[in-house]
Amino acid sequence: MALFETDRRILALAMARMADGVGNSFLIIVLPLYIASGIVEGRTFGLTESMLIGIVLSLVGFVSSLSQPFTGRVSDRTGRRKFYILVGLGGLTTANLLYLFAGSYLSLIALRALQGVSIAFIIPASVALVNELAGAGTRGGNMGVYNTFRLVGFGAGPIAAGVLVNAGPYSLFGVALSGFDATFYVAAGAAALGLLLVSALVHDPAELERAGEDLSIDVFDGDGGLDPVFTLGIASLFMAIGIALFATLQPEINARLDQGSTWFGVQFAAFIISQVFLQVPIGRASDRWGRKPFILAGLVLLVPSTLAQGLVLDSWLMLVVRLTQGVAGAMVFAPALALAGDLATGGDSGTKLSVLTMAFGLGIALGPLSAGFLVSLGFVVPFAVGATLAVVGFVLVYTQVEETVGAERHGAGSEPVPQD
């Protein structure tokens, strides 16, 4: 879907998510350096510095993921999306500024928890709003636009953060700023920019329906099978675990391939690059040809592209494999969100879509932890487990999820024909 065909409110949401994505991904690079610099002091509770860094980095993912079903339900219950997005962006802005005064491990943990809760307010409400602003025939493409901007922000942040920290200290209007101070100000500014964009350009649909009393997340469908949205959540969890294995194993991968950190950075970015270029066309294609075929094809492609990361012995081959895994991820994520959105009825988009966003966030948090444990059993083991999970995800989607878009179209721009 061309950007000029996208609802301006969805573009504003996408740009807001890109802005806060830049700010949040800044901290992935900055916080380990900040902790290692000696600025942070206080009780460590017997934990090593590396363990504290791991806790600080992973805490946002766990808090955000576990909170999303509740925040999504609140936005459904009240029938308000924009308000909770602004609450979340305001929380992120505040937390990023408070890092300027954080000098203890406990304060860092508290601020990361605040960030996690803030993100939990943003994600379900914003994805639900995209779902409700997009028509049934454009849902996949609009989800692709939203995810593309988010990924651009997330991918650009670490690069910019490294440059900003290393180029410090700075002098601004006679005030000295360290590289760390500058990154915290920029992260806060990025979140504040997102808040301004949403405040000025986004509003809830006038016809937004409040959800009914029952906002439970179903596990079973009543016919002895799994609920399709819950099934898509499991598949998203397994996919996210598989794609998150790579980052933790940088020392082992570099030693195995006899390469430096620059090569690893390019390979890590390759996954995001595939996503950026393919989310929109794949989302748009799923509007025309159906969601399920793309989800299944992506899970199939995820199997060899994940397993191969534990087998290849050449840096160029690893780059190709990572690009391929990015293609697989793009084929799953936007169509899965669109399919769950197709199934949402009666103002329950926040609750239903939070199942997928929560699952993906948990997978991104669990992947690095499981990789660190499984690699002790052999270098290929984490990737073999990730590939196996993709197989299980394929079987579950194939057997438990029905298509929501008809195979026949009545011409370009027409609405899809639902299947019986």
Side-chain angles (χ1 to χ4, degrees):
M1 177 178 294
L3 292 182
F4 60 80
E5 296 175 355
T6 305
D7 188 302
R8 69 173 181 82
R9 294 169 293 179
I10 294 176
L11 277 177
L13 277 172
M15 288 188 288
R17 288 291 286 132
M18 179 174 70
D20 79 68
V22 169
N24 288 332
S25 59
F26 258 46
L27 300 178
I28 295 175
I29 299 297
V30 172
L31 287 179
L33 299 175
Y34 190 63
I35 292 172
S37 69
I39 297 174
V40 181
E41 300 175 342
R43 294 182 61 190
T44 62
F45 306 97
L47 300 174
T48 64
E49 184 178 273
S50 59
M51 181 62 72
L52 285 166
I53 290 173
I55 292 171
V56 166
L57 290 182
S58 63
L59 187 61
V60 165
F62 284 114
V63 172
S64 171
S65 298
L66 295 174
S67 301
Q68 284 179 41
F70 302 101
T71 56
R73 187 173 302 180
V74 167
S75 73
D76 285 341
R77 185 74 69 198
T78 60
R80 304 173 72 183
R81 310 296 189 202
K82 177 179 176 178
F83 173 77
Y84 292 108
I85 297 170
L86 293 177
V87 168
L89 289 169
L92 281 182
T93 303
T94 302
N96 291 340
L97 283 175
L98 289 176
Y99 279 113
L100 293 163
F101 310 102
S104 69
Y105 295 108
L106 275 179
S107 62
L108 288 182
I109 290 172
L111 289 176
R112 292 296 279 174
L114 174 58
Q115 283 185 299
V117 173
S118 299
I119 292 170
F121 275 108
I122 296 170
I123 293 177
S126 59
V127 174
L129 190 51
V130 172
N131 183 63
E132 288 149 358
L133 292 173
T138 63
R139 185 167 284 128
N142 278 291
M143 289 293 185
V145 169
Y146 175 82
N147 286 324
T148 296
F149 275 79
R150 178 182 62 84
L151 287 165
V152 168
F154 186 80
I159 298 172
V163 172
L164 198 59
V165 170
N166 291 329
Y170 304 90
S171 178
L172 185 64
F173 303 115
V175 178
L177 294 177
S178 70
F180 294 121
D181 291 341
T183 57
F184 296 144
Y185 276 120
V186 171
L193 175 61
L195 188 150
L196 291 174
L197 285 170
V198 173
S199 180
L201 300 176
V202 176
H203 58 80
D204 293 328
E207 68 280 5
L208 182 59
E209 180 182 353
R210 291 194 184 188
E213 289 300 317
D214 184 12
L215 280 175
S216 59
I217 296 174
D218 295 324
V219 176
F220 301 102
D221 63 2
D223 295 322
L226 292 176
D227 178 79
V229 174
F230 182 78
T231 302
L232 290 170
I234 295 176
S236 298
L237 171 68
F238 290 167
M239 175 186 71
I241 290 174
I243 66 179
L245 298 169
F246 187 80
T248 303
L249 304 178
Q250 178 175 177
E252 292 87 350
I253 290 171
N254 287 345
R256 180 179 173 85
L257 302 183
D258 191 24
Q259 66 180 22
S261 58
T262 300
W263 251 119
F264 184 87
V266 172
Q267 292 158 353
F268 181 85
F271 177 88
I272 297 175
I273 292 170
S274 291
Q275 295 269 317
V276 167
F277 282 101
L278 293 175
Q279 284 271 342
V280 175
I282 287 175
R284 186 180 185 187
S286 78
D287 289 330
R288 184 172 184 85
W289 306 112
R291 324 290 191 200
K292 187 174 177 179
F294 288 96
I295 299 170
L296 292 175
L299 289 168
V300 167
L301 189 58
L302 197 62
V303 176
S305 61
T306 301
L307 180 60
Q309 292 176 47
L311 300 174
V312 299
L313 297 172
D314 179 81
S315 296
W316 282 103
L317 286 177
M318 182 64 83
L319 177 62
V320 172
V321 169
R322 288 285 295 172
L323 285 167
T324 305
Q325 193 182 44
V327 175
M331 296 179 79
V332 174
F333 200 56
L337 280 172
L339 197 156
D342 292 339
L343 295 172
T345 58
D348 62 350
S349 294
T351 302
K352 275 191 163 51
L353 293 172
S354 72
V355 174
L356 273 67
T357 58
M358 174 189 69
F360 187 82
L362 278 177
I364 293 297
L366 290 172
L369 294 177
S370 58
F373 170 73
L374 293 171
V375 75
S376 63
L377 305 177
F379 181 79
V380 74
V381 172
F383 301 106
V385 170
T388 302
L389 291 176
V391 172
V392 176
F394 172 87
V395 172
L396 288 174
V397 172
Y398 184 80
T399 58
Q400 305 298 313
V401 177
E402 297 294 330
E403 181 57 69
T404 55
V405 176
E408 296 180 0
R409 302 284 302 213
H410 297 297
S414 62
E415 293 292 311
V417 180
Q419 291 184 339
D420 291 334

